[in-house]
Amino acid sequence: MIRELSNPSVCMRDPQKVQEILESMVKAGSNTVQVISDFDMTLTRFAYNGKRCPTCHNILDNSDLISSECKEKLKELLNTYYPIEIDSSRSIEEKLPLMVEWWTKAHELLVQQEIRKDLLAGVVRTSDAMLREGYEVFFNRLRDHSIPLLIFSAGIGDILEEVIRQAEVFHSNVKVFSNYMDFDESGVLKAFKGELIHIYNKREGALLNTGHFQELRTRPNVLLLGDSLGDLTMADGVQDMENILKIGFLNDKVEERKPSYLDSYDIVLVKDETLEVPNAVLRYLTENK
Ligand code: TMP
Ligand code: MG
């Protein structure tokens, strides 16, 4: 049905179910579809030429806005908590308080650095941030078909927005839920705004934003993109959901994590640095009515 679903990176536990969801969504029409996507390591690349690409936090952590002493501490946090994030032998319940600890400690360190708002654009411009191959087609097709895209990220909203703005894909159909920086009147970071979004509380984040989902209530068909099992709850605020197709990028610790990804994502993309499959799904949804 979709040629790209035979790509070597594609794994599906139940291809028949995927086909049924797609057929049902095509029948309903692309004007009933909304897309909800994670950002780091989902819309951005995990690696390029064998080298890891940065998350929103890493973009800032690696910049010259951060002192070398603070860089060391942030690196220590990453080395402690990232292995926990991707550890398939621990349950989400076990990981949750540790993830809160990671985000809280990292944000405390960032706030101590007196980061200036006006320097963020330059930091992003000189960083190694990279959207996945095919991102132009992805963002532009959604804009051309007026399909709303919600980017739901536990990263840093200010950095994320700058990445997509500089890539010239921050179109008017894009909305972002994330952790935003709060600056004082002289433009220096003093805190993070609102409720913290971390990797395992996206459900709570979604439920705090009922207004957004209320506006989109005529779009009960959801395409969800993520790279973590925490991303599966991003659509929990969607009203009267009819169909959901979940596409998961499995970037790291592939063999250990594959069974759980196959259990929870309809389509699992193993070490696939492109948006080829999501783009093929969107092409199918927008060209087949
Ligand atoms: P996402 O929801 O957009 O994927 O963002 C979450 C990612 O951010 C998650 O994979 C861990 C990563 N992260 C860092 O790289 N450094 C940090 O200091 C923190 C708190 C998170
Ligand atoms: Mg992610």
Side-chain angles (χ1 to χ4, degrees), residues 150-268:
L150 170 64
I151 302 180
F152 198 155
S153 169
I156 303 173
D158 309 73
I159 302 279
L160 180 171
E161 285 196 8
E162 203 49 48
V163 172
I164 56 176
R165 192 174 297 121
Q166 289 181 20
E168 298 182 356
V169 292
F170 196 179
H171 304 316
S172 58
N173 62 322
V174 178
K175 169 129 188 169
V176 179
F177 292 173
S178 190
N179 298 303
Y180 279 90
M181 294 172 148
D182 200 1
F183 299 95
D184 66 17
E185 54 294 339
S186 57
V188 173
L189 178 66
K190 60 169 188 189
F192 280 81
K193 291 181 189 167
E195 294 295 318
L196 175 72
I197 302 175
H198 58 79
I199 195 156
Y200 291 125
N201 73 346
K202 291 193 173 181
R203 176 182 162 78
E204 288 73 14
L207 297 178
L208 281 175
N209 286 283
T210 45
H212 170 77
F213 294 109
Q214 175 71 19
E215 268 175 46
L216 298 187
R217 66 191 176 282
T218 57
R219 296 178 174 271
N221 292 305
V222 179
L223 177 65
L224 180 144
L225 308 178
D227 78 293
S228 146
L229 297 180
D231 295 329
L232 291 158
T233 63
M234 293 188 298
D236 284 9
V238 173
Q239 302 192 354
D240 307 320
M241 179 131 58
E242 278 173 17
N243 296 286
I244 180 162
L245 183 72
K246 293 172 271 186
I247 303 183
F249 287 91
L250 180 49
N251 302 309
D252 206 359
K253 291 266 183 294
V254 168
E255 287 318 315
E256 290 142 68
R257 297 203 291 165
K258 206 166 170 184
S260 58
Y261 274 60
L262 282 170
D263 282 343
S264 36
Y265 281 104
D266 302 302
I267 301 175
V268 178

Side-chain angles (χ1 to χ4, degrees), residues 43-58:
L43 292 179
T44 57
R45 295 182 69 117
F46 179 75
Y48 183 63
N49 286 339
K51 194 171 163 253
R52 284 291 299 275
C53 291
T55 61
C56 293
H57 284 93
N58 300 153

Side-chain angles (χ1 to χ4, degrees), residues 38-42 55-58 61 74 77-78 82 85 99 102-103 106-107 152-155 160 199 202 227 231:
D38 169 54
F39 188 70
D40 291 308
M41 311 296 120
T42 295
T55 61
C56 293
H57 284 93
N58 300 153
D61 299 355
L74 287 161
L77 292 180
L78 183 70
Y82 177 68
E85 177 190 334
M99 293 297 106
W102 183 14
W103 260 257
H107 287 189
F152 198 155
S153 169
L160 180 171
I199 195 156
K202 291 193 173 181
D227 78 293
D231 295 329

Side-chain angles (χ1 to χ4, degrees), residues 35-104:
V35 179
I36 304 179
S37 180
D38 169 54
F39 188 70
D40 291 308
M41 311 296 120
T42 295
L43 292 179
T44 57
R45 295 182 69 117
F46 179 75
Y48 183 63
N49 286 339
K51 194 171 163 253
R52 284 291 299 275
C53 291
T55 61
C56 293
H57 284 93
N58 300 153
I59 290 172
L60 199 55
D61 299 355
N62 299 339
S63 77
D64 58 11
L65 303 189
I66 309 293
S67 71
S68 48
E69 191 194 341
C70 183
K71 276 191 172 123
E72 273 310 306
K73 289 184 185 161
L74 287 161
K75 202 151 118 210
E76 243 171 68
L77 292 180
L78 183 70
N79 293 340
T80 307
Y81 293 103
Y82 177 68
I84 301 174
E85 177 190 334
I86 60 165
D87 184 350
S88 53
S89 72
R90 301 191 201 216
S91 68
I92 291 185
E93 291 69 35
E94 194 183 344
K95 291 181 193 185
L96 192 138
L98 298 165
M99 293 297 106
V100 175
E101 224 172 79
W102 183 14
W103 260 257
T104 309

